[in-house]
């Protein structure tokens, strides 16, 4: 027999066998979760990049026994360090924390006001490091002026933030893979249920000479419409939630996101339209494989 034509009538009864309620609902829920996963990965990367930039440039200097004489007996250790920092162009926005500010920082760790313990507290100086290289030379110079002076940068925290970002992105990728696999399983189950419901009709058409590919294409087109409808709905419903989450994260994000549409970054806007396309591919491909495999089992 010639290739099966594609009449407008639903002669296989697919509208009844493949309902337009349950499958779009399940696909929509998975598209919603996938949108949240993509947003989580993008948000972690964006926030990490913003935090790493700030942390890498942060410079903290601790001067123990700040009122003692420096190595050359020319001034106090604190004054010598501050004077040296003023001569370093890469050290910008140099500022000394007040004793009250230092006490406030240490109180949560000591459980009381450090002043009440009679502990000698170091002077703490903050600065913004704009140098292209590291702070090794600065550390050596300050150690010579004021032995025991500690110079810390945010390099350690930058590495930890990068590791955390990588972990979060790996988790988001795992979520997307799981969602895709579950979506394929749902489509396969729905297709099998439709085949079982319309078994007699499909068997008759198949025995009359219809090709496997024609029957599979008819069913796959129905699945395609249902999955795309569900994915579009789930993606659209995710936008208000993503906008709300973006608003909560705005104080921690880069300033450029405050002017973005709904506060969402451009890469996320580019990724969201891909969800219905991916759902269509999964729905079509899974239905084709399921139907063709089922037809091969017929006598």
């Amino acid at each position: 027999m010639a290739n099966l034509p594609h009449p407008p009538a639903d002669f296989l009864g697919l509208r009844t066998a493949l309902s337009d309620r349950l499958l779009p609902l399940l696909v929509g829920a998975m598209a919603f979760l996938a949108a949240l996963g993509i947003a989580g990965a993008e948000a972690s990367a964006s926030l990490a990049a913003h935090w790493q930039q700030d942390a890498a440039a942060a410079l903290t200097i601790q001067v123990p026994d700040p009122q003692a004489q420096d190595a050359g007996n020319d001034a106090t250790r604190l004054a010598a360090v501050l004077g040296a920092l003023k001569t370093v162009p890469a050290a910008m926005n140099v500022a000394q924390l007040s004793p009250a500010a230092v006490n406030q920082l240490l109180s949560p760790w000591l459980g009381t006001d450090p002043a009440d313990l009679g502990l000698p507290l170091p002077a703490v100086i903050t600065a913004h490091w704009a140098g292209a290289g590291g702070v090794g030379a600065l550390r050596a110079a300050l150690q010579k002026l004021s032995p025991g002076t500690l110079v810390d940068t945010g390099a350690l925290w930058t590495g930890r933030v990068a590791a955390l970002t990588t972990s979060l992105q790996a988790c988001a990728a795992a979520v997307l893979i799981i969602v895709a696999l579950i979506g394929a399983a749902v489509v396969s189950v729905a297709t099998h249920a439709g085949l079982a419901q319309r078994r007699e009709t499909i068997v008759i058409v198949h025995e009359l000479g219809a090709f496997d590919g024609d029957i599979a294409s008819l069913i796959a087109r129905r699945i395609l419409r249902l999955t795309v409808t569900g994915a579009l709905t789930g993606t659209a419903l995710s936008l208000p939630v993503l906008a709300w989450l973006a608003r909560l994260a705005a104080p921690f994000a880069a300033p450029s996101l405050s002017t973005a549409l709904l506060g969402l970054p451009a890469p996320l806007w580019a990724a969201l339209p891909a969800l219905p396309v991916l759902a269509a591919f999964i729905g079509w491909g899974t239905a084709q494989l399921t139907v063709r495999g089922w037809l091969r089992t017929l006598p």
Side-chain angles (χ1 to χ4, degrees), residues 25 29 55 74 85 100 146 155 161 191 204 214 220 223 227 275 285 290 292:
L25 178 63
D74 297 323
L85 289 173
S146 176
V161 170
T191 304
I204 292 173
D214 293 324
I223 293 292
T227 53
L275 290 179
T290 302
R292 289 174 183 269

Side-chain angles (χ1 to χ4, degrees), residues 250-263:
F252 311 101
S256 59
L257 291 181
S258 60
T259 59
L261 182 60
L262 296 180

Side-chain angles (χ1 to χ4, degrees), residues 105-180:
L105 288 174
L106 295 178
S107 293
W109 304 99
L110 299 179
T112 182
D113 190 337
D116 296 338
L117 301 177
L119 297 175
L121 298 180
V124 179
I125 303 170
T126 62
H128 180 86
W129 182 253
V135 295
L138 176 64
R139 183 181 288 112
L142 295 183
Q143 279 284 350
K144 186 175 181 180
L145 278 175
S146 176
T149 298
L150 301 178
V151 180
D152 295 323
T153 64
L156 177 62
W157 288 105
T158 299
R160 291 177 177 176
V161 170
L164 176 61
T165 302
T166 302
S167 300
L168 292 176
Q169 290 177 326
C171 290
V175 168
L176 293 178
I177 293 174
I178 292 173
V179 167

Side-chain angles (χ1 to χ4, degrees), residues 8 21 28 37 52 134 163 199 213 276:
R21 296 180 182 177
Q52 285 176 328
R199 178 183 176 86

Side-chain angles (χ1 to χ4, degrees), residues 147-275:
T149 298
L150 301 178
V151 180
D152 295 323
T153 64
L156 177 62
W157 288 105
T158 299
R160 291 177 177 176
V161 170
L164 176 61
T165 302
T166 302
S167 300
L168 292 176
Q169 290 177 326
C171 290
V175 168
L176 293 178
I177 293 174
I178 292 173
V179 167
L181 293 176
I182 293 176
V186 168
V187 171
S188 179
V189 170
T191 304
H192 273 294
L195 291 171
Q197 186 173 347
R198 305 301 300 172
R199 178 183 176 86
E200 293 183 2
T201 302
I202 296 174
V203 169
I204 292 173
V205 172
H206 187 261
E207 290 178 347
L208 289 174
F211 293 146
D212 291 3
D214 293 324
I215 298 174
S217 294
L218 284 174
I219 297 175
R221 277 198 294 270
R222 175 66 176 169
I223 293 292
L224 176 65
R225 285 192 291 269
L226 297 178
T227 53
V228 170
T229 299
L232 286 173
T233 303
T235 304
L237 291 178
S238 71
L239 290 178
V241 178
L242 295 179
W244 174 66
L245 293 175
R247 183 177 180 182
L248 294 179
F252 311 101
S256 59
L257 291 181
S258 60
T259 59
L261 182 60
L262 296 180
L264 304 180
L268 182 57
W269 281 114
L272 290 179
L275 290 179

